[in-house]
Amino acid sequence: MPSWNDLAKGSPAIADAGRRLIERSGIGEGLLATVRGDAPPRIHPVNVRIVDGRLLTFVIVGSAKAGDLGADGRYALHAHQDPAVPHEFLVRGHATEVRDAGLRSTAAGEWPFEVDDGYTLYELSIDHAVFGERASADDWPPVYTSWRPGSDA
């Protein structure tokens, strides 16, 4: 499963730019798209963090996104944009439930809210990362760079 560390090794520029966008508010935030079978995709605002080289998110047990991730696992995450300089960052891959108690404890300690047993921790693999750069809000189209495991960015 390709991790954030794999992205950082394979394309440090995309990983650095993506991390800045994810964490630009001081906490990790983004929009998580999930799918399940033939149902339309769902979009969920989430907190995300990069912990021990892994992209992680806590999901409320029993929520629609937990059901989607548990049943299908495919996701896309898009960082929020800065209206002044609307660079784009998105990753796609598969979510896997983290059962390691040590990693869960470490992640919970870095989370912007109190995590309890009502949350499941998921690692988001990085099967594809894309960074779109714009010098200003008036510049179009963005200049895109991307990374996939095994490729050079």
Side-chain angles (χ1 to χ4, degrees):
M1 174 168 78
S3 68
W4 186 271
N5 265 353
D6 295 318
L7 169 60
K9 288 175 188 168
S11 181
I14 292 175
D16 289 345
R19 185 177 205 136
R20 281 193 308 275
L21 288 174
I22 287 171
E23 297 176 349
R24 74 180 184 87
S25 71
I27 59 173
E29 297 178 313
L31 295 172
L32 181 73
T34 61
V35 295
R36 185 192 304 194
D38 292 335
R42 294 185 231 238
I43 306 295
H44 319 269
V46 294
N47 290 113
V48 294
R49 300 289 293 180
I50 300 159
V51 178
D52 292 343
R54 301 167 186 230
L55 183 60
L56 304 173
T57 189
F58 279 100
V59 174
I60 297 173
V61 172
S63 67
K65 72 183 144 214
D68 291 352
L69 293 176
D72 189 297
R74 291 177 295 160
Y75 83 91
L77 176 77
H78 200 292
H80 296 301
Q81 290 182 299
D82 179 347
V85 184
H87 299 319
E88 300 173 38
F89 178 71
L90 67 98
V91 290
R92 294 186 310 206
H94 290 83
T96 304
E97 183 177 344
V98 174
R99 297 176 186 263
D100 180 280
L103 179 56
R104 179 184 171 87
S105 178
T106 300
E110 295 188 21
W111 227 251
F113 56 83
E114 188 172 333
V115 174
D116 60 24
D117 291 342
Y119 293 89
T120 301
L121 180 63
Y122 284 92
E123 180 175 359
L124 305 176
S125 74
I126 312 287
D127 296 336
H128 190 201
V130 177
F131 176 64
E133 187 171 15
R134 294 167 62 182
S136 75
D138 296 326
D139 291 303
W140 189 261
V143 176
Y144 289 103
T145 54
S146 67
W147 175 87
R148 291 179 192 267
S151 72
D152 293 327

